[in-house]
Amino acid sequence: MYGRFEAAVETRIAAIEEPRTGVEVVDRNGALLRAFASEDGRWRLNASVDDVDPRYLAMLIAWEDKRFRDHGGVDPVAFLRAGWQSIAHQRIVSGGSTLTMQVARMLGRLPTGSFSAKGEQIVTAFALERTRRKDDILSLYLDLAPYGGNLEGVRAASWSYFGKEPKRLTAAEAALLVALPQAPERYRPDRFPERAKAARDRVLKRMEGLGLIDADEAARGMREAMPNGRRSLPVLAAHTAVRLHQADPKRERIRLTIDKAMQARLETYAREKVSSLTKPVSLAILVADSATGEILAAIGSPDLFDRERQGFNDLTRAKRSPGSTLKPLIYGLAFERGLAHPESLVDDSPAAFAGYRPQNFDRVFEGMITARRALQLSRNLPAVELLSAVGPARLVYRMRRAGADPELGDRSLPGLAIGLGGIGLSLEDLVGIYGGLANGGLAQPLHVEVDPALVKGAGAKRILSAQAAWYVTSILAGAPTTTKGSPGEIAHKTGTSYGYRDAWTIGYDGRHVVGVWLGRPDGAPVAGLVGQDAALPVLHDVFSRLGPVERLPGPPPGILASAGGNLPPPMRRVGRAAMAASASSRPEIVFPPNDTRIEIGLGEAVAALGRQDDAAFVGQESGAGEASRTGAGGADLFLKVRDGKPPFTWFVDGVPVARDALTRQSQVRLTEPGFVDILVLDAAGGAARSSVFVE
């Protein structure tokens, strides 16, 4: 008999399977963000003795199995008492089940009130006691105890009835959780509050009698209101949780870099904010740590269940036109390559670039302004000109180094239009790019899962030099000049896509980088939707909910804190501005002006020259007059130039006639009237011409 029992126990040991609990998505500190029901549709969350209030455990053991720590799975005293009652009443009255036997029944889904089922419980209880510690058996009870409906386990029950983890329970809450598994459907507080209260109060009285709580606490517990219904389990960072769960459905615990408190604050704000927007306009927010790449909050839509706003779509990952949000990276590349400086002059005037004719958003042109001001005003023409200089392919390459996945459509090679939004990027892409700007040009790969193996700095890629990133930061922070100190607290850039489809703002302080998007999920236009007006206020609201703003860091070594004429000459003007300056500095012949008739007395000079020639002929015969023949003849034409860079070389009818390094004027002796072609060259190769008729 004993041998058969031992064989049965050994068989049960081999057959015991750990219960499958639902998938949990937790934040960086282990706090529950979202849970998914188990495969059988039950809400069952993993719990151990360390996850619950110690007083609840004491009350549970005192109520259900006071000799739990001492018996080997079956309590002989309780079992004999239950057997005597069953014989006397011809039915099972008190069962005599220990906590271990209850776990055995729940594991095997065995019925109550059956002698054969009771035998199965006993065998399995011995199997459990031989293979597990007492706390492990207790943890199984905490996972499997029924609490009404599809609730199983103390954590699911605590969240559903009290909206919190069972780590800190009041005496009344603990008593209710002790009482419910005795008759989970009969005592459900959401359906039968009076029965539930009576069961809870019985536990409180018993605990008072055992000295686990005092009379005052028992009285307070009995006055405590009952839960009036079931609450929903947390549903935070819903889109991220669903995406990762679907990617690996068998993973029971997913730990994110999300900060639960921050996520909750921003989700509440997003719901409040979107309620003031006309449907179906929606909103997405992403917050990351620029130094680590950790995503701290992700709101794909304000309400997962809002069908009119397509709340099921994760708009942090939707590819949209980024509008002007790529301009900072364009300027950064120009700064890095030495093509420009924040104080360089650029030309904001109409122009065509290989057939591409961009316009400013407001159809207004500023003319000659600094690169700093051009970026702060988000002027399109300077940005396109700088992009033409650095190359669209280089811009795309740097975006990809930041972890972005730009969508080029059917174009195999990027064109200049990408600088003004002619490309597809997500909010996540842009936050990654701006995270690189915020981190001194070094982009940390964005990630939302906690990875202990990911060492800080591992996988980081440089998208800009530290100096270029600093220049961009000083501009976006609104600094008036390139100074040596911190430029301020928040650097930001807005963007509006073509047709008012998307409104963006991306900003960062000394730690956080925040991305905001507004628009319709279906991509349709929204009249008047502009980043400056719609998205920028949201950015400021988000930063106000992140805690104290951290000032932006000071500049790295190698910053050129100069302006205007103090810049190196090649940096003073850029592109068309430099060409215009070059044109304005070319030499110009002031005298004689082009296409004029100039009288310099050549008629009298010619007559005098004729008389000198006659005298010379007579002199040949007499041997006199040699000095008169070689004397000066003709008349002088004065030459004058302005602008240009000395020294100047003058040419008359193609023959060099004068070079003067000191003055801007010269003269040439002409001997006969007629047309004269005059050319002057300066030291920089600039030239000017003048054609005149002299007489």
Side-chain angles (χ1 to χ4, degrees):
M1 183 72 177
Y2 178 76
R4 292 174 57 188
F5 180 78
E6 283 294 309
V9 170
E10 292 297 326
T11 301
R12 294 296 185 281
I13 290 174
I16 292 175
E17 293 184 2
E18 294 290 330
R20 290 293 302 272
T21 55
V23 175
E24 296 179 40
V25 182
V26 300
D27 84 336
R28 60 193 302 113
N29 300 312
L32 186 66
L33 293 170
R34 185 171 184 183
F36 295 90
S38 59
E39 295 175 352
D40 56 5
R42 298 177 183 274
W43 290 107
R44 186 189 304 124
L45 303 180
N46 184 55
S48 69
V49 294
D50 296 327
D51 297 324
V52 298
D53 192 324
R55 183 167 57 175
Y56 160 77
L57 288 177
M59 293 169 70
L60 173 67
I61 293 173
W63 181 265
E64 291 285 355
D65 188 359
K66 62 183 179 181
R67 286 179 287 274
F68 171 70
R69 298 288 181 184
D70 301 319
H71 62 65
V74 175
D75 182 356
V77 175
F79 194 73
L80 289 173
R81 183 189 65 245
W84 176 257
Q85 290 174 340
S86 298
I87 294 172
H89 295 84
Q90 296 298 304
R91 60 184 177 85
I92 295 178
V93 176
S94 62
S97 293
T98 62
L99 282 171
T100 308
M101 292 173 64
Q102 292 182 48
V103 169
R105 175 177 56 79
M106 291 184 284
L107 280 173
R109 299 289 174 184
L110 300 173
T112 58
S114 165
F115 285 106
S116 61
K118 185 67 68 175
E120 290 287 331
Q121 287 182 44
I122 293 171
V123 173
T124 306
F126 277 106
L128 287 169
E129 291 282 350
R130 290 186 184 183
T131 56
R132 286 165 173 78
R133 296 179 301 115
K134 288 291 185 178
D135 280 355
D136 295 333
I137 295 171
L138 202 53
S139 294
L140 286 173
Y141 179 90
L142 299 178
D143 283 349
L144 294 170
Y147 285 91
N150 62 346
L151 291 180
E152 287 189 0
V154 69
R155 285 187 65 209
S158 184
W159 275 111
S160 295
Y161 292 130
F162 312 130
K164 64 180 181 180
E165 292 280 4
K167 190 72 174 177
R168 292 181 177 84
L169 299 170
T170 67
E173 291 168 344
L176 180 61
L177 293 179
V178 168
L180 274 174
Q182 293 181 311
E185 292 303 325
R186 178 177 173 79
Y187 294 158
R188 281 182 60 170
D190 57 327
R191 291 187 177 180
F192 310 107
E194 292 302 322
R195 294 179 188 170
K197 183 179 186 306
R200 178 198 69 184
D201 291 352
R202 284 195 297 271
V203 175
L204 287 171
K205 289 178 181 178
R206 177 79 174 275
M207 297 305 114
E208 179 190 356
L210 294 174
L212 290 178
I213 59 176
D214 58 31
D216 289 341
E217 191 168 22
R220 285 196 303 272
M222 293 179 191
R223 291 194 300 269
E224 192 170 304
M226 294 292 295
N228 55 12
R230 277 179 56 169
R231 305 172 186 232
S232 297
L233 270 68
V235 185
L236 293 170
H239 297 89
T240 303
V242 168
R243 173 167 54 85
L244 295 176
H245 173 51
Q246 291 177 343
D248 187 1
K250 293 184 178 180
R251 191 160 47 146
E252 293 185 354
R253 185 178 174 88
I254 302 171
R255 188 178 176 193
L256 305 184
T257 59
I258 296 289
D259 182 310
K260 181 177 181 178
M262 182 187 299
Q263 180 77 25
R265 287 196 303 271
L266 293 183
E267 287 197 16
T268 299
Y269 164 74
R271 285 192 293 271
E272 293 172 352
K273 179 64 180 178
V274 83
S275 65
S276 65
L277 303 175
T278 303
K279 290 185 177 183
V281 176
S282 192
L283 167 70
I285 300 171
L286 196 66
V287 181
D289 186 317
S290 58
T292 64
E294 295 175 328
I295 294 175
L296 303 176
I299 301 172
S301 69
D303 186 349
L304 184 67
F305 305 105
D306 187 339
R307 290 186 173 273
E308 291 182 83
R309 289 191 168 95
Q310 298 183 23
F312 47 84
N313 284 327
D314 184 355
L315 297 172
T316 65
R317 298 168 66 83
K319 299 293 184 181
R320 298 300 185 109
S321 166
S324 297
T325 57
L326 289 178
K327 288 177 182 175
L329 186 55
I330 296 172
Y331 278 76
L333 289 171
F335 298 153
E336 179 184 83
R337 295 177 63 80
L339 301 175
H341 182 273
E343 314 312 326
S344 300
L345 289 176
V346 295
D347 190 358
D348 180 36
S349 62
F353 303 88
Y356 176 50
R357 294 182 175 273
Q359 295 288 328
N360 282 327
F361 183 77
D362 56 7
R363 304 287 177 172
V364 174
F365 298 93
E366 298 288 331
M368 213 69 70
I369 55 176
T370 64
R372 176 183 300 279
R373 191 67 178 148
L375 179 53
Q376 288 173 344
L377 294 176
S378 196
R379 314 314 291 167
N380 288 345
L381 273 297
V384 172
E385 186 168 28
L386 290 176
L387 178 58
S388 178
V390 302
R394 180 173 282 106
L395 177 64
V396 171
Y397 172 72
R398 297 297 179 92
M399 285 191 279
R400 286 175 173 154
R401 282 186 65 83
D405 182 23
E407 189 176 82
L408 297 173
D410 58 359
R411 298 187 303 276
S412 57
L413 294 174
L416 294 177
I418 68 172
L420 303 183
I423 194 172
L425 288 170
S426 68
L427 186 63
E428 188 172 309
D429 291 333
L430 288 172
V431 167
I433 292 169
Y434 277 71
L437 295 177
N439 197 38
L442 197 61
Q444 294 282 359
L446 286 188
H447 57 282
V448 74
E449 289 191 71
V450 172
D451 185 357
L454 186 62
V455 180
K456 183 178 179 180
K461 295 183 179 179
R462 184 159 293 283
I463 62 169
L464 280 180
S465 69
Q467 294 78 16
W470 160 254
Y471 287 142
V472 172
T473 294
S474 74
I475 294 172
L476 298 185
T481 59
T482 305
T483 59
K484 288 293 186 181
S486 169
E489 294 183 338
I490 298 176
H492 76 274
K493 181 70 182 75
T494 61
T496 304
S497 66
Y498 177 77
Y500 303 97
R501 288 172 167 81
D502 309 275
W504 307 85
T505 299
I506 319 293
Y508 53 91
D509 66 358
R511 179 190 175 192
H512 300 110
V513 54
V514 175
V516 174
W517 172 89
L518 286 92
R520 287 180 52 144
D522 59 6
V526 180
L529 186 70
V530 179
Q532 182 75 21
D533 300 330
L536 183 57
V538 176
L539 180 84
H540 290 305
D541 289 344
V542 170
F543 268 108
S544 71
R545 287 162 172 79
L546 299 185
V549 175
E550 296 189 21
R551 290 187 67 82
L552 294 163
I559 291 298
L560 181 60
S562 301
N566 294 324
L567 288 173
M571 285 188 176
R572 293 173 188 171
R573 294 172 181 263
V574 177
R576 290 179 299 138
M579 294 174 60
S582 175
S584 66
S585 65
R586 289 174 184 170
E588 180 184 356
I589 296 176
V590 179
F591 190 88
N594 185 46
D595 205 18
T596 59
R597 194 179 188 92
I598 306 294
E599 289 190 20
I600 59 174
L602 277 178
E604 295 180 2
V606 170
L609 184 60
R611 289 192 296 271
Q612 289 179 5
D613 287 344
D614 290 341
F617 178 74
V618 173
Q620 281 183 343
E621 294 181 343
S622 61
E626 179 66 19
S628 297
R629 185 184 68 80
T630 59
D636 289 332
L637 176 65
F638 288 92
L639 310 172
K640 188 173 183 179
V641 64
R642 69 182 174 195
D643 297 331
K645 183 178 181 181
F648 300 97
T649 302
W650 293 92
F651 296 81
V652 175
D653 292 333
V655 178
V657 296
R659 178 183 176 90
D660 193 335
L662 301 176
T663 66
R664 292 180 175 271
Q665 59 186 21
S666 187
Q667 63 188 53
V668 61
R669 169 68 51 118
L670 300 177
T671 59
E672 58 184 37
F675 285 99
V676 178
D677 187 44
I678 303 168
L679 171 69
V680 65
L681 288 176
D682 73 352
R689 290 181 179 273
S690 180
S691 181
V692 299
F693 185 86
V694 296
E695 56 184 0

